[in-house]
Structure formats: C-alpha cells, structure tokens
C-alpha cells in the first residue's frame, strides 16, 4: 500500500496496523518502489493508494485517477472514483477491514480465483423454467441470519421460492456463473465479502435482475454526507435501490411488488 500525505502520528498508526497485520493470515506492508534489479523483485505497483485529502498532492488524484490501484481517500471532497472514503479521526480497526475488502476485490478483478466465470450457466433458462419455481430465483450475498429469514419470507410472497445464499466471494461467483436470477441482495457491511465488487459483477452479468444493496450506513445511524455518498456509489454501480439495515418487511415490500 502506498500513502500520500498524513501527519507523523497518522503514519505511525498506519505502520502499527501493518505490524499487527503480520499476525494474521492476510498481512499488509507499505509499498516501496523498486530502485534496482533484485533476485526477489517487489510488486510492480501498490494495490492500494491511501491519500490524505488535505495535502497538496491530493489534487492530482482528482485530475488523474490512478490506473490499477484502489484509491482510499481520507478527508472531505473525495473524487468520484474513490474506492473508500475515511473520516478523521481514522478508525484503524475499520481501516484494516477495508483493506481486506480491497484485497478481495483485487482477487476478483485479476482473475486469481480458481473459477471459470466466462462459461454459460450450467442450466439454460428453458431448463430452469422446467423446474418447479425455477424461473424465479434470487441470490443473497453475505446475509445476517435474521435478515435472511426476512428476505426469504418477502421473496416467497413475490413467488420467488428458490433462494441461494453466499457467505464467501468464491461461492457468490460460482452461483452467479451457474444460475439466472430475478433478484440479488447484497449486504455491504460484511467486510469478509466485498459486496461492492460482487454487486458490480452481478449487475454486469445479470442485467435482467433487480439489484438491491443494504447497509447500516444508508440509515439514520449515518450522517447526511455518508448516506449521500453511499447512494451515489450505489447508483454508479447500477443498483436498483440502497436500503438501510437491518432490513424490514416494510422496506422490502415496495421492491418485492416489482418482481
């Protein structure tokens, strides 16, 4: 990860996060540009660029979006292409979870997951329609147990009785490659799964489906700016609606009526 700007105190905290991450299965370290040939060459580029929105160099990331690395912006006035936006004081525990989300998205984007998602679905649309309720299938990504029950109830009332649940990125991608859906619901608050990247892929692969996003930051727990940013990001992905969590029957009902 590359960092642009920041105070000495914030950089010290960031280095502490790096050190603590070494005790996990997934670890992070600062990216150092290569200076000379080496038997063990470093990674060609940083996978994440962390930008202090208050520093002078930040203006460059408004004018020229980085190609490849994910951009995490700290402060106000973030560019539209920012992957995540953090506010000060930085919550470093949340920061580590966001870095995990970036890693998951990188796995999806780079094709490092051992999945062939370019093949047609295992069943054709006609074959699925031949199954009882097979033409009405929904996907729920990273659901909480209580919300999954609520979603299943609402979907059943909309005559969608075949519901797949995916708790991991790999499972979600496998299901998207295998089935045709009428609806996809994505929990954006579960940092073990990158809901944003999976939702973007779902919209591209299943354009006929209704796509619903859900986050606690779309509700009253978040301030006006955070809710606005969430809505804007969801619209850019092509999401049909952004609903506040926890999900309720009342919030889901208008959308279920459209299925």
């Amino acid at each position: 990860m590359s960092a642009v700007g920041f105070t000495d105190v914030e950089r010290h905290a960031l280095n502490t996060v790096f050190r603590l991450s070494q005790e996990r299965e997934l670890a992070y370290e600062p990216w150092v540009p290569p200076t000379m040939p080496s038997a063990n060459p470093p990674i060609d580029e940083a996978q994440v660029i962390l930008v202090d929105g208050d520093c002078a160099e930040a203006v460059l990331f408004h004018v020229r979006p980085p190609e490849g690395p994910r951009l995490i912006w700290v402060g106000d006035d973030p560019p539209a292409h920012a992957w995540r936006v953090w506010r000060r004081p930085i919550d470093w525990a949340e920061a580590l979870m966001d870095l995990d989300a970036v890693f998951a998205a990188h796995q999806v984007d780079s094709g490092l997951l051992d999945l062939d998602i370019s093949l047609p679905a295992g069943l054709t649309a006609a074959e699925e329609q031949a199954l009882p309720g097979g033409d009405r299938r929904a996907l729920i990504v990273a659901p909480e147990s209580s919300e999954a029950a609520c979603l299943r109830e609402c979907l059943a009332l909309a005559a969608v009785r075949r519901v797949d649940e995916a708790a991991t990125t790999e499972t979600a991608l496998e299901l998207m490659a295998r089935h045709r859906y009428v609806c996809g619901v994505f929990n954006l608050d579960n940092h073990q799964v990158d809901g944003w990247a999976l939702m973007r892929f779902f919209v591209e692969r299943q354009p006929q489906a209704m796509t619903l996003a859900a986050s606690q930051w779309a509700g009253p727990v978040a301030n006006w700016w955070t809710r606005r940013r969430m809505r804007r990001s969801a619209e850019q992905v092509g999401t049909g609606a952004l609903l506040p969590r926890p999900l309720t029957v009342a919030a889901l009902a208008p959308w279920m009526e459209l299925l």
Side-chain angles (χ1 to χ4, degrees):
M1 186 179 81
S2 177
V4 179
F6 301 100
T7 65
D8 291 341
V9 172
E10 288 174 331
R11 282 187 171 268
H12 176 74
L14 183 59
N15 288 330
T16 300
V17 170
F18 289 147
R19 287 195 300 272
L20 291 174
S21 75
Q22 302 303 314
E23 302 176 3
R24 307 162 72 238
E25 182 178 352
L26 184 57
Y28 302 98
E29 62 183 14
W31 176 75
V32 179
T35 56
M36 62 183 65
S38 170
N40 298 308
I43 298 175
D44 290 339
E45 64 178 15
Q47 295 181 10
V48 181
I49 298 179
L50 187 62
V51 176
D52 178 359
D54 294 334
C55 73
E57 294 88 341
V59 67
L60 298 176
F61 293 89
H62 272 285
V63 177
R64 187 182 60 189
E67 296 182 1
R70 305 280 180 172
L71 173 63
I72 296 180
W73 187 272
V74 179
D76 297 325
D77 192 26
H81 54 270
W83 172 258
R84 292 286 191 271
V85 179
W86 296 347
R87 301 298 176 194
R88 287 186 167 94
I90 299 172
D91 185 332
W92 294 106
E94 290 287 337
L96 194 57
M97 288 191 290
D98 270 355
L99 291 176
D100 288 348
V102 172
F103 174 79
H106 179 75
Q107 297 293 91
V108 174
D109 291 347
S110 59
L112 294 177
L113 293 175
D114 187 18
L115 294 170
D116 186 355
I117 57 178
S118 62
L119 295 177
L123 295 175
T124 65
E127 289 170 330
E128 287 209 5
Q129 288 174 6
L131 298 172
D135 57 330
R136 305 280 291 173
R137 194 180 199 111
L139 174 65
I140 307 175
V141 176
E144 298 291 338
S145 57
S146 59
E147 292 181 341
C150 175
L151 279 164
R152 284 180 175 274
E153 177 184 346
C154 291
L155 288 165
L157 292 174
V160 182
R161 296 179 176 83
R162 297 175 65 85
V163 180
D164 297 325
E165 294 185 22
T168 67
T169 297
E170 292 86 347
T171 301
L173 288 172
E174 287 175 347
L175 290 168
M176 289 183 211
R178 190 180 306 138
H179 300 295
R180 180 181 175 86
Y181 292 103
V182 298
C183 180
V185 184
F186 296 80
N187 176 7
L188 302 181
D189 297 336
N190 187 327
H191 293 281
Q192 302 304 312
V193 175
D194 189 352
W196 287 103
L198 288 173
M199 187 165 61
R200 185 179 296 108
F201 180 75
F202 182 84
V203 169
E204 293 173 355
R205 188 173 180 87
Q206 309 267 353
Q208 79 290 340
M210 174 187 293
T211 305
L212 302 178
S215 173
Q216 63 177 330
W217 304 112
V221 69
N223 59 37
W224 173 86
W225 171 255
T226 300
R227 294 197 301 271
R228 177 179 179 275
R229 178 170 59 84
M230 288 288 294
R231 287 196 302 271
R232 180 180 177 185
S233 298
E235 290 171 358
Q236 290 175 338
V237 171
T239 307
L242 175 64
L243 305 178
R245 294 187 55 244
L247 292 171
T248 64
V249 173
L252 289 166
W255 300 101
M256 297 297 101
E257 291 176 0
L258 297 178
L259 288 177

